[in-house]
Amino acid sequence: EAAKKRFPTLSQVSYDKGFWSPGNLEKLEVLLEHSVLPKKGRLSANDKKRECHPEFIRARRKHSAVESDINALEANGLDKCPDKGIEGFERYVALAVVASNLKRLGKILLTRDRQ
């Protein structure tokens, strides 16, 4: 609800399986056009239909890409944020993004020089 207030055009959010509950699914369906909330364990017919929908599958694939990016940031120092407040957190995330990009650029330059 807070994210929807802050970003009114938000239409889709993807969660991990651990967030699934009937109440969460119900609330998300009211707030968003597409709620990507996979269920743990055996799926009922309705859950299977919902999770086999092309939009659900497309969003789940994007979720995997985001998880990969988060892992890359954690590998570049964003595993714990010692700074306080939202400004400190934003600064820390920005520095981790810069570190990740510098690492990528370094790999590109090394590859180019070896050729």
Side-chain angles (χ1 to χ4, degrees):
E1 290 172 348
K4 186 68 174 174
K5 285 179 188 174
R6 187 168 181 187
F7 305 101
T9 59
L10 185 68
S11 63
Q12 177 176 294
V13 177
S14 179
Y15 291 91
D16 292 328
K17 289 184 178 189
F19 289 95
W20 193 92
S21 76
N24 286 346
L25 182 61
E26 194 175 296
K27 287 178 185 178
L28 285 173
E29 286 178 343
V30 170
L31 291 171
L32 304 168
E33 292 174 30
H34 303 285
S35 57
V36 183
L37 190 62
K39 184 179 178 183
K40 279 185 179 181
R42 196 169 267 188
L43 301 177
S44 67
N46 286 339
D47 291 329
K48 228 179 228 183
K49 182 180 176 186
R50 184 176 54 83
E51 291 191 23
C52 288
H53 191 275
E55 187 65 31
F56 187 98
I57 294 169
R58 187 184 63 76
R60 282 299 293 164
R61 288 186 180 140
K62 283 186 179 182
H63 183 93
S64 297
V66 169
E67 292 289 336
S68 172
D69 290 340
I70 290 170
N71 186 43
L73 291 177
E74 287 177 345
N76 288 291
L78 193 64
D79 51 344
K80 286 189 178 180
C81 179
D83 296 344
K84 303 293 181 207
I86 189 69
E87 288 179 12
F89 176 74
E90 288 172 351
R91 179 177 47 249
Y92 209 69
V93 170
L95 288 171
V97 169
V98 169
S100 178
N101 288 341
L102 285 173
K103 201 174 188 180
R104 286 182 188 175
L105 286 172
K107 284 182 183 179
I108 290 168
L109 292 174
L110 284 173
T111 302
R112 187 186 71 183
D113 289 347
R114 286 182 189 141
Q115 293 173 353

